[in-house]
Amino acid sequence: MRKLIVCLIAVLSLCLLRAQNLEGEGRTVCYKGIVELGIGATYNFNSAQTLSTLNLQPLWTVTTSHGVNYKGLFGGIGIGYNFSQRDKESMYLVFGDVRYVFVKCKLKPSVGAKAGIIYDPYWIEKVQKCGAVTASIEVYEGLRVGLEGSIFSRPARYFTANGMFVISY
């Protein structure tokens, strides 16, 4: 029972406490950090191959971006980790992140884009280019849910497309 109460307090404090809310103090430029957790599917495309369900596999991702927020426009850099469950493949990301939050709307929808590189120790060409687009809405103070579509290149006319459900804070 004690562990349940401690876990409940930890979850509530994550949702209710804010370390820095400078926008309410009249400051328009402030630091912002974003953490995202995503689960989705990845599909590997090859120009020499026909479409197959064998290429579809689960994908888990964790990313964090840090930068500057100015009146709803966020720009920063981030790092991340992708894990492909079927192939047991780990990929490490470094990217630039740009987002815009429509602050005057009630649900505060946002759109964003990421671009960068992925380091994959299991491929011949270990460093590949990647890009992503995101869309989300705010469900509770700072807590957002949304969708992300991404793509990254592979060697020899081969690339991977990803789609995932994302929770960010």
Side-chain angles (χ1 to χ4, degrees), residues 13 46 48 64 119 149:
S13 67
N46 187 339
T64 181
Y119 173 73

Side-chain angles (χ1 to χ4, degrees), residues 132-148:
V133 292
T134 61
S136 66
I137 59 170
E138 186 173 80
V139 293
Y140 189 74
E141 298 227 357
L143 185 65
R144 307 185 74 75
V145 295
L147 299 173
E148 179 175 307

Side-chain angles (χ1 to χ4, degrees), residues 49-158:
Q49 217 175 26
T50 58
L51 294 177
S52 167
T53 56
L54 297 175
N55 288 335
L56 189 65
Q57 55 187 316
L59 178 72
W60 298 83
T61 184
V62 176
T63 63
T64 181
S65 302
H66 299 271
V68 176
N69 192 37
Y70 176 72
K71 293 186 179 179
L73 180 64
F74 170 79
I77 58 171
I79 58 173
Y81 173 75
N82 283 358
F83 179 72
S84 174
Q85 193 168 351
R86 185 190 75 187
D87 294 340
K88 306 285 189 263
E89 186 176 31
S90 297
M91 296 166 277
Y92 307 95
L93 295 83
V94 177
F95 57 90
D97 192 358
V98 176
R99 300 171 193 234
Y100 183 74
V101 177
F102 298 93
V103 292
K104 297 198 181 207
C105 296
K106 187 172 187 175
L107 290 177
K108 295 185 182 174
S110 72
V111 293
K114 299 176 187 174
I117 58 171
I118 291 180
Y119 173 73
D120 187 351
Y122 300 105
W123 278 84
I124 299 165
E125 196 174 296
K126 298 192 182 316
V127 177
Q128 300 135 24
K129 298 174 218 112
C130 65
V133 292
T134 61
S136 66
I137 59 170
E138 186 173 80
V139 293
Y140 189 74
E141 298 227 357
L143 185 65
R144 307 185 74 75
V145 295
L147 299 173
E148 179 175 307
S150 63
I151 191 167
F152 56 91
S153 65
R154 297 284 197 170
R157 302 180 315 248
Y158 186 71

